[in-house]
Amino acid sequence: MSDPAKKPLRLGIAGLGTVGIGTVQMIQRHSAMIAARAGRPVVITAVSARDRGKNRDADLSGFAWENDPVDLAKREDVDVFVEVMGGHDGPAKAATEAALAAGKDVVTANKALLAHHGHALALAAEAAGRVIRFEAAVAGGIPVIKALTEGLAGNQIRRVMGVMNGTCNYILTRMQSAGLPYDVVFEEARQLGYLEADPNLDVGGIDAGHKLSLLAAIAFGTQVSFDAVELEGIGAISIDDIRHAADMGFRIKLLGVAQMTGRGLEQRMTPCLVPADHPLGQLQGGTNMVVVEGDAVGQIVLRGAGAGAGPTASAVMGDVIDIARGFRLPVFGQPAASLATPVAAQSAAPAPWYMRMVLVDKPGALAKIATCLGEAGVSIDRMRQYGHQDDHAPVLIVTHKATRQDIAHAMGLFAGTGVVVGDPVAIRIEEV
Amino acid sequence: MSDPAKKPLRLGIAGLGTVGIGTVQMIQRHSAMIAARAGRPVVITAVSARDRGKNRDADLSGFAWENDPVDLAKREDVDVFVEVMGGHDGPAKAATEAALAAGKDVVTANKALLAHHGHALALAAEAAGRVIRFEAAVAGGIPVIKALTEGLAGNQIRRVMGVMNGTCNYILTRMQSAGLPYDVVFEEARQLGYLEADPNLDVGGIDAGHKLSLLAAIAFGTQVSFDAVELEGIGAISIDDIRHAADMGFRIKLLGVAQMTGRGLEQRMTPCLVPADHPLGQLQGGTNMVVVEGDAVGQIVLRGAGAGAGPTASAVMGDVIDIARGFRLPVFGQPAASLATPVAAQSAAPAPWYMRMVLVDKPGALAKIATCLGEAGVSIDRMRQYGHQDDHAPVLIVTHKATRQDIAHAMGLFAGTGVVVGDPVAIRIEEV
């Protein structure tokens, strides 16, 4: 296991942005330590990026340069193709396919690529006898892919949950702490450079949904199925709901949940209420958290930085060192051919719901709402009515477990009562 | 990677207590799932325990029986010796040595064995070309050995911290929530069966110290050095200190800390104050938490059940599946021969301290205390004096960073002032 004569593992790094340069720096800083742990030296032989002339925060003079990542992927002096370019089609996909075809292992940070093409790439990798590792694609520096695929592999997984987009969590916790509305905090986040070029990737839940689909594939032994993820962003979350939820002991999070139910595989990335005293509720700012529930292990919580040069490079290097050590396993933890085609659950499991509405100040208004809920089969756990404002009375309701359909049914009935002002709000409460 | 013709991996399980039976049940319940993930079947061929006649919660009829675990370890039909007996000498050690000598891999939950004999066993394992895996020995179901040895292997580790004895955390959090003194809650814990036969293993910090010494070896590339762990139990923690600490925004935890300093390797398992709003401060009841700080990844927090049949069996099975998959690495993450002999730091890094004392109600009493602190080179960050009771005034002080020696010096000076009633208390505040 410690043969000093072992050949160096040679990396070709495609993409020299934050993560690529972070990886170069880590290898340069810790080459002796990495060699001791990996059992052999890890070296970079070649790199590629769009702009060779750009000033970068690392000495690249010892590495060969390729303008085209596909050429990098095919180089004879590369054992592992490290893809940290991003993009779910185009060069990243072409270069990854080229690397596998040329007999290279692949380490990638590209959640979008795997969410869209993960199954085909896994089949290609396994046909070629190669591995694709993607710790850096999910929750940054948190070693959650490893925990789920390896450490917890003896468990039947019951549920995987996660707050996996730091920008959304920053926005929601900042709204609460500063008492600012969504639009203002969104603009702050943009100024701070926290948002993707297409902000909908963040606040629309798409980026976090990509990550959830990868965790679900491993957890439940199913083919990646990003298209089946129910996506709802945070754009409609109001400061009122954040405050009222807090009053009732909850926090609002963009929460990913994947679970296998009798009705099929449920994958959701939507705003949810979680208890303020659970680690998910306590999570502040841009930090990420993944919660894994196994039948034997119970609930495991993993927390750490979800983005940034250091954390993401840490995840890349964990995968690289695994490959250097000779660890080899199927891309999603079991052979791709054995992964089931998931049946998407057509409706989410029943849950308690938080509802907020404003009622006109008339006798019997509340009774009408209660009647609608009863007709829809939704029973009330807690209700709170606030002091009247301008003849309008804000009302909060926490229901017992109900389906989304029943809640939608009740909200449809509300409209006919003539006592509801504006649009009522309903947000799922995830029981953790 | 998915050859259906691959031979089963054959386990011999020594010890049929909670963990052993939990492991048997897990394999029986999930044999198909485990085979899919491991790439080959995992089967139990033989077991051993002290009392064959005992009624156990699993069907053992398909397994060969050995009365002596050493005989089990040597069986030709065993590939992996699973040691879940416990005890740092005697049969567990003899059987583990026999297993390695007979060419078997070893999976163990035995922190005491590895804390005392880890380096010798690692040398023996590597000389025999075998692995010893011990995820179950540290923090139950939390895959922290894997995270540290593999997932975070690209990082220079700055510090490892952990609350790793659930019984101690139960006692401390129950004292706070119920307002009960240590002795009463200790007795409750005993009634609930939370304490080891020798309770000092729990409340004296020994069990948690064993775990810390294993994490330190991996984190810093040093030989296991349990004897160098500074150990202090929770028996002297009073409800007063828990309350006063809470008033000032802290919680008291039995906290393990390992870090490599300019003065050598520091390993402590002692009561510490931590901020109430850090995940360590928020940790309630018997749950465990490990915090790993790496130079690239930042702070990673792992939380989960630290004991019990399911969580511990989950950790055992993670190791078994790794072996079935062909993952092989040195016991402490790099070759045992390359592990440095640690120089133990003779003193802990400076830290802020919490001090509590009761002063007689005389003019100038507080000034005398302040003078003593000044003479000892300890400066005051915050001070709080409570209302007088019976001519005695409780005083709380939070110091700026100071060494334990300086704090001890100041406390020695207090004695000469004639204004301190009873013994003053000083507890380190760990900055997290």
Side-chain angles (χ1 to χ4, degrees):
Chain A
M1 283 175 285
S2 58
D3 183 1
K6 263 194 175 173
K7 281 187 189 167
L9 186 76
R10 301 166 302 174
L11 312 184
I13 299 182
L16 293 171
T18 310
V19 179
I21 293 298
T23 304
V24 170
Q25 289 171 335
M26 210 163 164
I27 292 172
Q28 290 178 336
R29 193 164 65 236
H30 292 318
S31 61
M33 184 191 80
I34 290 169
R37 293 179 177 171
R40 56 199 282 207
V42 172
V43 300
I44 301 166
T45 46
V47 297
S48 79
R50 257 179 299 206
D51 178 2
R52 186 168 189 173
K54 195 174 163 186
N55 216 344
R56 292 183 173 92
D57 203 15
D59 175 10
L60 308 176
S61 59
F63 315 141
W65 180 276
E66 296 283 356
N67 287 312
D68 184 341
V70 172
D71 292 333
L72 179 75
K74 295 177 179 169
R75 283 179 69 100
E76 287 217 348
D77 59 2
V78 164
D79 303 310
V80 179
F81 179 67
V82 178
E83 192 272 284
V84 285
M85 299 183 286
H88 72 262
D89 279 301
K93 178 162 179 274
T96 299
E97 289 168 345
L100 295 173
K104 319 296 187 189
D105 291 323
V106 172
V107 171
T108 180
N110 193 330
K111 59 225 75 164
L113 175 70
L114 290 176
H116 287 282
H117 307 293
H119 188 59
L121 288 169
L123 288 168
E126 293 168 30
R130 295 293 103 193
V131 301
I132 302 175
R133 303 294 303 253
F134 55 97
E135 188 65 82
V138 179
I142 304 174
V144 59
I145 298 295
K146 180 169 278 285
L148 194 57
T149 317
E150 304 171 25
L152 305 176
N155 289 265
Q156 184 169 1
I157 301 300
R158 302 265 195 233
R159 179 168 62 165
V160 180
M161 297 183 287
V163 172
M164 296 184 286
N165 183 279
T167 303
C168 288
N169 203 52
Y170 167 81
I171 290 175
L172 292 171
T173 54
R174 170 92 177 134
M175 285 171 71
Q176 176 164 18
S177 63
L180 292 169
Y182 176 80
D183 292 342
V184 172
V185 178
F186 177 89
E187 194 49 39
E188 274 186 9
R190 187 201 294 277
Q191 301 280 344
L192 289 165
Y194 290 180
L195 284 160
E196 301 269 355
D198 172 6
N200 197 43
L201 286 174
D202 288 313
V203 298
I206 297 168
D207 164 79
H210 287 153
K211 297 167 184 169
L212 183 72
S213 71
L214 301 179
L215 294 177
I218 298 167
F220 304 110
T222 49
Q223 297 171 22
V224 186
S225 175
F226 169 67
D227 291 343
V229 178
E230 178 191 341
L231 285 181
E232 187 186 320
I234 62 168
I237 300 297
S238 74
I239 180 75
D240 283 344
D241 288 315
I242 287 177
R243 284 183 181 146
H244 288 309
D247 279 354
M248 300 180 89
F250 295 104
R251 296 286 179 274
I252 301 182
K253 298 290 171 189
L254 179 66
L255 186 71
V257 178
Q259 55 192 347
M260 186 59 79
T261 72
R263 298 158 293 101
L265 176 63
E266 184 178 332
Q267 300 179 88
R268 295 179 267 121
M269 181 59 67
T270 65
C272 287
L273 272 66
V274 294
D277 63 358
H278 186 274
L280 283 167
Q282 292 163 338
L283 192 70
Q284 296 287 313
T287 311
N288 278 202
M289 181 173 285
V290 182
V291 178
V292 180
E293 293 173 345
D295 65 338
V297 79
Q299 192 177 77
I300 296 286
V301 178
L302 311 171
R303 178 187 189 273
T312 313
S314 168
V316 167
M317 286 309 299
D319 283 343
V320 165
I321 291 171
D322 273 359
I323 290 171
R325 282 171 164 162
F327 293 7
R328 307 195 70 77
L329 82 175
V331 180
F332 293 102
Q334 64 185 67
S338 75
L339 296 168
T341 307
V343 176
Q346 289 307 302
S347 61
W353 290 74
Y354 156 97
M355 303 182 88
R356 179 174 63 84
M357 65 203 75
V358 176
L359 301 186
V360 297
D361 185 18
K362 278 190 195 162
L366 209 52
K368 285 187 179 169
I369 293 303
T371 302
C372 294
L373 287 166
E375 274 183 45
V378 177
S379 66
I380 297 172
D381 177 22
R382 289 191 273 162
M383 180 153 59
R384 188 178 289 189
Q385 185 160 8
Y386 284 79
H388 296 196
Q389 304 163 339
D390 308 331
D391 291 343
H392 292 164
V395 171
L396 302 186
I397 295 170
V398 171
T399 74
H400 285 292
K401 279 193 184 184
T403 63
R404 171 185 277 274
Q405 287 73 11
D406 289 341
I407 295 292
H409 180 193
M411 290 178 58
L413 296 173
F414 292 167
T417 61
V419 301
V420 177
V421 182
D423 288 329
V425 170
I427 308 176
R428 180 186 176 93
I429 300 174
E430 188 71 21
E431 295 185 298
V432 295
Chain B
M1 283 174 284
S2 58
D3 183 1
K6 264 196 174 172
K7 281 187 189 166
L9 185 75
R10 300 166 303 175
L11 312 184
I13 299 182
L16 294 171
T18 309
V19 179
I21 293 298
T23 305
V24 170
Q25 290 170 336
M26 210 163 165
I27 292 172
Q28 290 178 336
R29 190 163 68 238
H30 292 320
S31 61
M33 183 191 80
I34 290 169
R37 292 179 177 171
R40 55 198 283 205
V42 171
V43 300
I44 300 165
T45 46
V47 296
S48 80
R50 258 180 298 206
D51 178 1
R52 185 169 191 174
K54 194 174 163 186
N55 216 346
R56 293 184 171 91
D57 203 15
D59 177 9
L60 308 175
S61 59
F63 315 141
W65 180 274
E66 296 283 357
N67 288 311
D68 184 341
V70 172
D71 293 334
L72 180 75
K74 295 176 179 170
R75 285 178 66 100
E76 288 215 348
D77 59 1
V78 164
D79 303 310
V80 180
F81 178 67
V82 178
E83 192 270 286
V84 285
M85 298 181 286
H88 71 263
D89 280 302
K93 179 162 178 275
T96 299
E97 289 167 345
L100 296 172
K104 318 298 187 186
D105 291 323
V106 173
V107 172
T108 180
N110 194 330
K111 59 225 74 165
L113 175 69
L114 291 175
H116 287 280
H117 307 291
H119 187 58
L121 288 170
L123 288 168
E126 293 168 30
R130 296 293 102 194
V131 301
I132 303 176
R133 302 295 303 254
F134 55 96
E135 188 65 82
V138 179
I142 304 174
V144 59
I145 299 294
K146 180 169 278 284
L148 194 57
T149 318
E150 304 170 24
L152 305 176
N155 288 264
Q156 184 169 0
I157 302 299
R158 301 267 195 229
R159 180 168 60 166
V160 180
M161 297 182 287
V163 172
M164 297 185 286
N165 183 278
T167 303
C168 288
N169 205 51
Y170 168 81
I171 290 174
L172 292 172
T173 54
R174 170 91 176 135
M175 284 172 71
Q176 175 165 19
S177 63
L180 292 169
Y182 176 80
D183 293 342
V184 172
V185 177
F186 177 89
E187 194 49 40
E188 275 186 9
R190 188 201 294 278
Q191 302 280 345
L192 289 166
Y194 290 178
L195 284 160
E196 300 270 355
D198 172 5
N200 197 42
L201 288 173
D202 289 314
V203 297
I206 298 169
D207 164 80
H210 287 154
K211 297 167 185 168
L212 183 72
S213 71
L214 301 179
L215 294 177
I218 299 167
F220 304 110
T222 50
Q223 297 171 21
V224 187
S225 175
F226 170 66
D227 291 341
V229 178
E230 178 192 339
L231 284 181
E232 187 185 319
I234 62 169
I237 300 297
S238 73
I239 179 75
D240 282 345
D241 288 315
I242 287 177
R243 282 182 181 147
H244 289 309
D247 278 355
M248 299 181 88
F250 296 103
R251 297 286 180 271
I252 301 182
K253 299 289 172 191
L254 179 66
L255 185 70
V257 179
Q259 55 192 347
M260 187 59 80
T261 73
R263 300 158 292 101
L265 176 63
E266 185 178 330
Q267 302 178 88
R268 293 178 268 121
M269 181 58 67
T270 66
C272 288
L273 273 67
V274 292
D277 62 358
H278 186 272
L280 283 167
Q282 292 163 338
L283 191 71
Q284 298 286 314
T287 310
N288 277 203
M289 181 173 285
V290 182
V291 178
V292 180
E293 294 174 346
D295 65 337
V297 79
Q299 192 177 79
I300 295 286
V301 178
L302 311 170
R303 179 188 190 271
T312 313
S314 167
V316 167
M317 287 309 299
D319 283 342
V320 165
I321 292 171
D322 273 0
I323 291 172
R325 282 171 164 162
F327 292 9
R328 307 194 72 76
L329 84 174
V331 179
F332 293 102
Q334 63 184 67
S338 74
L339 296 168
T341 307
V343 177
Q346 289 307 304
S347 60
W353 290 74
Y354 157 97
M355 303 182 85
R356 178 175 62 85
M357 65 204 76
V358 177
L359 301 186
V360 298
D361 186 18
K362 280 189 196 163
L366 208 52
K368 286 186 180 171
I369 293 303
T371 303
C372 294
L373 287 166
E375 274 183 44
V378 177
S379 66
I380 297 172
D381 177 21
R382 289 191 273 163
M383 181 155 57
R384 188 178 289 189
Q385 184 160 8
Y386 283 79
H388 297 197
Q389 303 163 340
D390 308 330
D391 293 338
H392 293 164
V395 172
L396 303 185
I397 295 170
V398 172
T399 75
H400 284 293
K401 278 192 185 183
T403 63
R404 169 184 278 274
Q405 286 74 8
D406 289 342
I407 294 292
H409 181 193
M411 291 180 53
L413 296 173
F414 291 167
T417 61
V419 301
V420 177
V421 181
D423 290 329
V425 170
I427 308 175
R428 182 188 176 91
I429 300 174
E430 188 72 20
E431 296 186 296
V432 295

